[in-house]
Amino acid sequence: VAQLCQHLEELEQTNTQVLIITFGSRQGAQIWLKETCSPFRLLMDPDRKVYHAYGLERSFLRSWNLRTILTYVKLLASGRKWRGIQGDSAQLGGDFILDSQGKILLAYRSHDPTDRPSVQDLLAILRSIRSS
Amino acid sequence: MHTLDKDDFAPDFVLQTIEGQSVSLQQSLQGKNSILLVFLRHLG
């Protein structure tokens, strides 16, 4: 999300609505919003019904693999605050891009927490929708 | 159970913002060229 925030103008040019979905607590979400630039709409899915509907996976082993632990160590070393684990730490995230009709053009389910499509890849798909 | 994939139509949903406002996917699509859904992990 922090990387998306650095491309707000490009996102606006593609006329894209960004929706951030979390299963975390309302209190945790409020803290998260304060700590990120996020101008995006943050939606609460405490029961993870939408996570399930979109096929987001959960895996403890993949969530806590060596690459993930190293990423957390780097983030903490760079000054990121650790607020503890909130909710199901095995739940994995993902990114979906839909066109104006609601058709899925990207269904990306993270293999592990560090696995996300690049912002450039996301923008390329969004631009292609805009120009089609 | 079918796993959603490219070219499927995304199922609608209604979720609340932290302020308690209900937001649906269909509503969010109106007037937009595209939607980017970002599913987060835990917020820790």
Side-chain angles (χ1 to χ4, degrees), chain A residues 15-17 19 21 26 33 44 51 54 72 83-84 86 89 93-96 98 100 102 104 109 116 130, chain B residues 3-4 7-8 10-11 15-18 25 29 31-44:
Chain A
N15 192 27
T16 298
Q17 172 80 64
L19 299 175
I21 302 174
R26 195 171 295 268
L33 273 178
M44 316 293 296
Y51 278 76
Y54 281 70
Y72 276 116
R83 293 190 303 274
Q86 301 178 26
S89 70
D95 301 85
F96 288 72
L98 319 177
S100 60
I104 297 172
R109 297 174 180 89
R116 288 280 186 177
R130 177 70 172 168
Chain B
T3 302
L4 290 175
D7 294 333
D8 287 335
L15 293 174
Q16 289 196 335
T17 65
I18 56 173
L25 177 63
L29 281 166
K32 292 292 178 184
N33 282 74
S34 47
I35 295 266
L36 171 58
L37 299 175
V38 179
F39 289 86
L40 298 178
R41 294 189 66 230
H42 66 83
L43 296 164

